[in-house]
Amino acid sequence: MIALVRPVSDSFDRALTRKPGPRPDIAGARAEHARYVATLRDLLDEVVVIPPAHDQPDACFVEDMAVVVGDRVVLGRSGAISRRAEQNAVIDDLPASLSRHVLPEGALLDGGDVLHVDDRLFVGVSARTNPAAVHALHDLLAPDGITVVPIQVRDALHLKCHCTSPGPGRVLLAEGFADPELFGPLDVIPVPPSEAYAANVVGIGQHVLVAEGYPYVNETLNRLGFDPIPQPVVEIAKADGSLTCLSILVA
Ligand code: CIR
C-alpha cells in the first residue's frame, strides 16, 4: 500500500474553516503533518509527497481531491470552488495503473464524504457533495458489486468527520451523527459525543492512526485488538481537518 500526501502550505493560516476561534499555527501544523508522514512511512511501502502549493491554503487535505476504489480513481469537482485548483497536482502523482473516471460536471464531490468499507460505499450528502455525485458513483460502481449508500450530513463538513472504519467489517460512528441501521451488516462501534472528533481514524492492517487525547476511542480500539497510534492534530483540526483528509491510500 502507498500513500499520497502534500505538505502544509505557507498560506495554511488562511485555510477554509467552519470553526470559530484562532487560526491554525503553520509551524505547529507542519510538526503534526511531519509526525503523520513519519507514521505512514513506518507502516507503508511508500509515501509519495506531492509538491507543495503555497498559494493554495487547503492543499494538504489531499483526500478531498480523488477517491480510490480498488483499481479505479474517481475524480469529482470539489464543492469548495476555491479548492478545485488543487486537483491537477494530485492527479499527476496518482499511480498510472489506476483507471480514471471523471464524474459528470454537475456532480460535486469531496473525498471526505466517501467511506469505502468492504462492498459498501457510504457517501455523505453535504455542503460539498451532492446527490448527482451519489448517482454517478452508483452507476460506476454497482456493476462491480459495490452498494452505494447515501447518508445526509448535518452539523459537520464531511461524512468522515465523525464516521470512518478502523478495519474490515467495522465502522466507528459518533453517536447521533447518523442512523446506525444505515451501515447494514457492519459492526458499528459507537463513539460518545465528547470524542466525536476521534471517530475519524486511518486503519492500516491492525494499526490505526487516531487523534491524540481521546482515551475512550483509544481504549476501545485496543480492546478490539487494534494497535492505536495517537497522532497530534490540534492545529490541523483548527482548519476543519482530521486524519483521513491528509492522505490518499492506494492498495
Ligand atoms: C476545507 O474546508 O475544505 C478544509 N479546510 C478542510 C478539509 C478537510 N477534509 C477532510 O476532512 N476530508
Side-chain angles (χ1 to χ4, degrees), residues 15-17 58 61 63-64 83 112 128 157-158 239-242 245:
L16 299 175
T17 188
D58 289 292
F61 300 124
E63 171 181 65
D64 294 319
R83 296 198 54 196
R128 300 285 178 86
L157 179 61
H158 292 130
D240 252 346
S242 38
C245 52

Side-chain angles (χ1 to χ4, degrees), residues 18 113 124-127 151-159 161-162 174-179 182:
R18 303 158 66 252
D113 277 315
V125 176
S126 70
I151 297 185
Q152 188 65 48
V153 175
R154 292 186 190 85
D155 300 329
L157 179 61
H158 292 130
L159 174 68
C161 290
H162 300 312
E175 287 171 19
F177 184 58
D179 180 356
L182 292 170

Side-chain angles (χ1 to χ4, degrees), residues 158-231:
H158 292 130
L159 174 68
K160 281 195 283 191
C161 290
H162 300 312
C163 175
T164 59
S165 174
R170 296 186 194 276
V171 166
L172 273 172
L173 175 65
E175 287 171 19
F177 184 58
D179 180 356
E181 299 287 322
L182 292 170
F183 296 89
L186 302 178
D187 180 19
V188 175
I189 307 162
V191 173
S194 59
E195 297 207 7
Y197 180 75
N200 180 285
V201 301
V202 177
I204 299 174
Q206 286 307 106
H207 308 285
V208 184
L209 281 67
V210 56
E212 189 175 73
Y214 295 88
Y216 178 88
V217 172
N218 201 76
E219 283 156 26
T220 301
L221 290 170
N222 244 320
R223 188 167 40 77
L224 292 170
F226 291 102
D227 169 29
I229 308 175
Q231 302 289 306

Side-chain angles (χ1 to χ4, degrees), residues 1-7 33 37 40-41 44-51 62 89-90 92-95 246-248 250:
M1 182 179 276
I2 70 165
L4 273 72
V5 299
R6 199 171 195 187
H33 193 266
V37 172
L40 291 181
R41 285 210 166 101
L44 299 176
D45 301 319
E46 188 186 355
V47 177
V48 175
V49 181
I50 301 169
V62 288
V90 174
D92 287 347
D93 278 334
L94 283 164
L246 295 174
S247 59
I248 297 172
V250 185

